[in-house]
Amino acid sequence: MSKTALLIVDAQNEMFDAANPVDQSEKLLENLQSLLQKARSAKVPVIYVQHNDAGLVKGTDFWQIHSSLTPEEGDVVIQKWAANSFQETELSETLKNEGIQKLVIGGNQTEHCIAATTRRASDLGFDVVLVKDAHGTWDSDDFTAKQIINHQNELLSHFATLQGTNEITFEQ
């Protein structure tokens, strides 16, 4: 059986800010909390990826990981500056050092960081599970968030197994 980790990408306060939250933000938080609880109960490693840019400045409130998803002692937090969580970060090395072969991915933003990270994880040979109802985005000028999520789930199904939050079980 392959060793699994839960990878939570960009679950930062900015994405859940009341003034402009990702679509269905409360449901997304519930699903991410459920995944965390399942992973912790099974003693599966939890790895957070935290985005940094002009709007997400280290130490600011928007940059912080949402309080309902706070990392615990022993969790790994990776800092990134690009959509791809593997680009110029220690994520790949961390996973290799821990013997991780399977990643269960959730977080933000569907068409950017989730898509880039899912594709790169697949390219690197990881067995990838994208939690189809545990990643979020905003409406664009042309598409609703739901349309973007559904479209990306379809595209990413070529790189990952899609499962809903309720379907995810963790075993080590």
Side-chain angles (χ1 to χ4, degrees):
M1 180 175 293
S2 61
K3 188 169 181 188
T4 302
L6 174 61
L7 185 65
I8 298 179
V9 179
D10 301 348
Q12 293 162 263
N13 286 335
E14 179 188 41
M15 287 57 168
F16 304 100
D17 181 56
N20 186 29
V22 294
D23 187 62
Q24 302 289 310
S25 62
E26 291 301 316
K27 183 63 176 166
L28 175 58
L29 280 172
E30 287 175 21
N31 289 345
L32 291 171
Q33 291 164 358
S34 175
L35 292 169
L36 263 176
Q37 188 274 326
K38 290 178 188 186
R40 293 194 196 295
S41 292
K43 302 202 181 332
V44 166
V46 177
I47 301 171
Y48 294 83
V49 178
Q50 196 169 18
H51 195 80
N52 294 268
D53 63 23
L56 288 169
V57 177
K58 185 174 184 173
T60 64
D61 183 59
F62 271 2
W63 174 83
Q64 300 294 330
I65 293 170
H66 193 274
S67 61
S68 70
L69 305 169
T70 301
E72 294 183 356
E73 186 175 334
D75 293 340
V76 175
V77 180
I78 304 284
Q79 301 299 313
K80 72 173 177 68
W81 292 261
N84 173 357
S85 298
F86 292 91
Q87 184 177 331
E88 298 178 14
T89 72
E90 64 273 9
L91 180 57
S92 185
E93 183 178 335
T94 299
L95 296 171
K96 182 180 177 183
N97 289 344
E98 293 296 318
I100 304 297
Q101 299 162 313
K102 181 177 181 178
L103 292 175
V104 176
I105 300 176
N108 291 294
Q109 181 178 350
T110 299
E111 69 276 30
H112 296 293
C113 302
I114 295 298
T117 299
T118 298
R119 288 173 186 253
R120 186 63 182 144
S122 175
D123 289 346
L124 291 171
F126 291 98
D127 177 10
V128 182
V129 175
L130 176 61
V131 188
K132 63 185 177 183
D133 58 356
H135 56 91
T137 193
W138 293 268
D139 292 344
S140 72
D141 290 341
D142 298 316
F143 303 100
T144 66
K146 183 172 180 57
Q147 289 172 320
I148 293 167
I149 290 167
N150 289 341
H151 181 68
Q152 287 298 317
N153 279 339
E154 174 62 30
L155 292 174
L156 295 171
S157 71
H158 301 286
F159 301 91
T161 301
L162 297 181
Q163 291 185 318
T165 299
N166 293 334
E167 297 174 272
I168 299 294
T169 57
F170 291 101
E171 299 172 10
Q172 278 298 71

